[in-house]
Amino acid sequence: MNHLVMNTFRNGDTTKMRNELANIFTKDEFIMFCELYQLENGFTYDEEQLQDVSENHLIYIALFRDEYNYKIETIIACNEGSITIEEPFFYNDEMEDTKPLFHSYNDEVFTKFKKLIAAKRRQQGHTS
């Protein structure tokens, strides 16, 4: 039996998640991730923020809300099936509180997404 394994790691200014089983996320799965990212932070997914950069490269302009209700724009990308979240610029006063919160939030969303994708793929395996 195959298991879905996803790892998150920080590489420079991005947090990256890769599906180690299929090594690719589909466009629909990327959109599902963006919807979850926005929903978990109290925002609504906005289809107009989704952009096709090239054939296998999509970006979504997302919002992250910090503990003071300040909204920070960040870019979520899907390039060749890998999902990355660009770390936004943090001002000096945001480095201690907001930056760790941003990374913690991303980890939480990746964990929830991993569970959703695993369930979706199990279900597809049973119906196909």
Side-chain angles (χ1 to χ4, degrees):
M1 179 179 188
N2 290 328
H3 294 280
L4 181 66
V5 178
M6 293 182 214
N7 296 320
T8 61
F9 55 94
R10 291 188 180 87
N11 181 7
D13 290 343
T14 61
T15 301
K16 187 172 184 177
M17 177 177 58
R18 181 179 300 274
N19 174 338
E20 299 296 344
L21 178 62
N23 203 27
I24 191 167
F25 290 104
T26 66
K27 180 178 181 177
D28 288 342
E29 290 169 341
F30 175 66
I31 291 170
M32 180 190 300
F33 179 80
C34 295
E35 290 171 339
L36 179 65
Y37 192 89
Q38 293 300 94
L39 179 67
E40 290 294 315
N41 209 5
F43 294 108
T44 305
Y45 173 79
D46 181 359
E47 189 175 335
E48 291 182 12
Q49 298 302 318
L50 182 66
Q51 301 170 20
D52 281 306
V53 176
S54 63
E55 184 177 340
N56 292 315
H57 188 192
L58 300 163
I59 64 169
Y60 180 80
I61 311 298
L63 289 173
F64 169 74
R65 185 189 324 257
D66 73 6
E67 67 273 21
Y68 305 107
N69 204 29
Y70 181 72
K71 297 165 189 76
I72 301 169
E73 198 171 84
T74 188
I75 296 174
I76 305 172
C78 185
N79 193 3
E80 299 292 329
S82 293
I83 295 175
T84 57
I85 299 174
E86 288 186 24
E87 183 179 281
F89 176 79
F90 293 105
Y91 293 96
N92 289 339
D93 62 334
E94 298 173 324
M95 294 299 279
E96 189 175 311
D97 296 330
T98 306
K99 185 175 179 177
L101 181 64
F102 174 78
H103 288 289
S104 174
Y105 174 75
N106 290 344
D107 291 343
E108 289 176 25
V109 173
F110 280 143
T111 298
K112 288 182 181 187
F113 183 66
K114 178 177 73 171
K115 291 176 183 177
L116 288 171
I117 290 297
K120 176 184 173 222
R121 291 185 177 177
R122 273 194 308 272
Q123 182 181 25
Q124 288 174 340
H126 292 298
T127 59
S128 53

